[in-house]
Amino acid sequence: MAIGLTTFQAYRLIILPVALRLIVPPATNESLNLLKNSSVALTISVAELTFQTRQIETYTAKAIEALTAGTLIYLVLCLSIATIMARVERRYAIPGLIARVEPAA
Amino acid sequence: MDFAVIANNFRFLIVQGLIGIGPFIGGTLRLAIPAIVLGFVLGIFVGLARLSATRWIRTPATMYVEFFRGVPLVMVIFWIWFIIPQLLRLPIPEYGVALTAFVIFEAAYFGEIVRAGVQSVARGQVEAATALGLTATKTMTYVILPQALRNMVPSLVTQMIVLFKDTSLASIIGYVDLTKAAQIVNNREIKPFEIYIFVAVVYWLCTYSMSVVARRLERRAA
C-alpha cells in the first residue's frame, strides 16, 4: 500500500506468493487425508480402489493378495505425493525464513 | 418430516447404537472409549520409540507410523477382518476386529502427537533434570511427560474427535454402531431424512461436548 499498489496488486504480488508457499505443508497433509478418506466412498458403492479390492477378493477369494495390492497402491500414492511435496516445499521455501524449526528433543 | 420415527426407534438408536446395550454386541461409545484409551497408551510408546536414540527401536517405529499414515482406515479394517481369522484359524467378532483396527491405526497418529509434544519441551529442562541426577526414565516420567501432555491437549482432543467420528466406519463390517443402527432403522422405516438428521445431531452433541470439556481442561492445565 505504501508503495502505491492497489489492493488487487498487493494480493497478486505480495500476499498470495507468500501465503501459497506457507500453506504447502498443511495443504499436503490435507490432500493426503482426502486421498485416504476417498476410500469411505465404498460405503455407497462408488467403484474406487478399496471397492475394487473388495470385488477382487469376493471373486477370487484371495484376500491377502487383493488387500496387499490395494494397500501398496495407496502407500505408493501417498508416499510419492509426500516426497514430491517435500521437494516443492524446499524448492519454493522463502529465503531467510526458517521453514522447519526442528525443536531439540 | 415425521419425527415420530425417531421416538419409536429411540431406544434402539441410542441404547443399542450409541451406548451398545442390547441384542447386538455394538455401540459407538463401547468402541470409541476403549479405542481412544488403548490407542493413546500404545501411541505414547510409539511416540517415545520414534525419539529413541537406539536405531533398532527408532526405525521400526518410524516405519510403523509412515505405513499407517499412508493407508486408509477402511483398508486396515479389511486387513484385520480378512487376514487375522485366516492366520489364527478362528473367527474374530466384529467388535474385536474394529477395536484392533482402531487401536493400531490411531496409535500411529497419537504417536506423532506424543512425539511433537515431547519435542516441544525445552531442552534446558532435560539438561536440568540430568544435572539433578535423574535417570532417563525418571526424567521422562517426572519432567518431560507432564509438560508434554499439557502441550499435547489441543491436538490430542482433535485426534480423539476424529477417532470418534471414524468409528462410524466400523459399520462396513457389520458392527452395530450408531451409523449401522440408523441404517437398520432406515431399511425398515424408509425415513432417511429424519433418521440421518437425528444421527448427525447425536454425533455433533458428542463431539461438541468433547471439545467443551477439552477447552475447560486446557484452561485449568495451562
Side-chain angles (χ1 to χ4, degrees):
Chain A
M1 291 294 167
I3 53 172
L5 295 180
T6 63
T7 307
F8 179 73
Q9 279 174 324
Y11 266 93
R12 192 171 65 86
L13 299 171
I14 313 290
I15 301 177
L16 281 183
V18 176
L20 281 179
R21 290 172 193 198
L22 287 180
I23 63 168
V24 166
T28 312
N29 239 334
E30 207 43 56
S31 28
L32 288 180
N33 272 338
L34 183 59
L35 174 70
K36 283 179 286 169
N37 284 342
S38 68
S39 60
V40 177
L42 104 150
T43 50
I44 53 167
S45 309
V46 177
E48 44 71 70
L49 182 52
T50 311
F51 185 81
Q52 299 291 11
T53 311
R54 291 278 335 253
Q55 292 283 65
I56 297 171
E57 193 272 328
T58 314
Y59 286 140
T60 61
K62 289 193 165 53
I64 296 184
E65 291 85 341
L67 282 173
T68 310
T71 308
L72 278 181
I73 295 172
Y74 273 115
L75 261 184
V76 167
L77 277 176
C78 280
L79 291 181
S80 46
I81 291 177
T83 318
I84 292 169
M85 290 316 283
R87 206 167 282 174
V88 168
E89 200 186 321
R90 266 201 306 278
R91 170 86 170 70
Y92 291 103
I94 301 169
L97 202 85
I98 303 162
R100 256 195 212 147
V101 185
E102 286 287 326
Chain B
M1 287 291 189
D2 174 21
F3 280 95
V5 63
I6 302 299
N8 294 336
N9 295 291
F10 192 79
R11 244 184 71 119
F12 183 73
L13 284 173
I14 295 299
V15 177
Q16 171 71 70
L18 183 65
I19 301 169
I21 303 165
F24 301 105
I25 297 178
T28 291
L29 290 178
R30 201 157 132 195
L31 176 61
I33 292 169
I36 286 173
V37 173
L38 294 175
F40 180 48
V41 171
L42 189 58
I44 291 180
F45 286 106
V46 172
L48 294 183
R50 280 208 68 180
L51 291 168
S52 166
T54 319
R55 185 184 291 175
W56 295 113
I57 302 174
R58 197 174 57 227
T59 313
T62 310
M63 280 164 66
Y64 176 86
V65 169
E66 292 297 333
F67 180 81
F68 282 104
R69 296 210 322 160
V71 170
L73 178 55
V74 180
M75 233 33 188
V76 179
I77 294 176
F78 281 140
W79 264 106
I80 294 173
W81 181 234
F82 288 117
I83 306 302
I84 306 284
Q86 271 193 21
L87 293 182
L88 298 181
R89 305 232 167 271
L90 56 95
I92 298 183
E94 291 94 345
Y95 182 70
V97 171
L99 187 59
T100 318
F102 281 110
V103 168
I104 62 173
F105 183 80
E106 293 296 330
Y109 285 83
F110 280 126
E112 281 298 272
I113 294 172
V114 171
R115 184 175 68 98
V118 170
Q119 283 183 331
S120 72
V121 176
R123 189 171 187 82
Q125 298 277 332
V126 185
E127 282 159 4
T130 317
L132 284 171
L134 296 180
T135 63
T137 319
K138 277 188 177 164
T139 309
M140 191 50 89
T141 42
Y142 295 122
V143 180
I144 299 178
L145 277 185
Q147 299 182 62
L149 278 171
R150 256 164 235 185
N151 295 338
M152 281 185 257
V153 168
S155 33
L156 269 184
V157 174
T158 310
Q159 192 57 40
M160 283 175 189
I161 290 173
V162 170
L163 172 55
F164 181 80
K165 291 189 288 179
D166 279 349
T167 54
S168 58
L169 286 180
S171 62
I172 57 173
I173 55 167
Y175 180 77
V176 187
D177 70 332
L178 184 53
T179 308
K180 185 78 189 175
Q183 274 175 26
I184 294 171
V185 172
N186 186 39
N187 287 345
R188 189 172 59 216
E189 310 270 0
I190 324 204
K191 292 251 191 301
F193 275 111
E194 291 85 342
I195 294 167
Y196 286 118
I197 286 173
F198 174 73
V199 168
V201 169
V202 173
Y203 271 114
W204 182 81
L205 279 176
C206 292
T207 51
Y208 187 71
S209 52
M210 276 162 89
S211 54
V212 167
V213 171
R215 224 169 295 156
R216 211 168 284 171
L217 208 77
E218 249 170 82
R219 259 206 305 275
R220 218 182 43 191

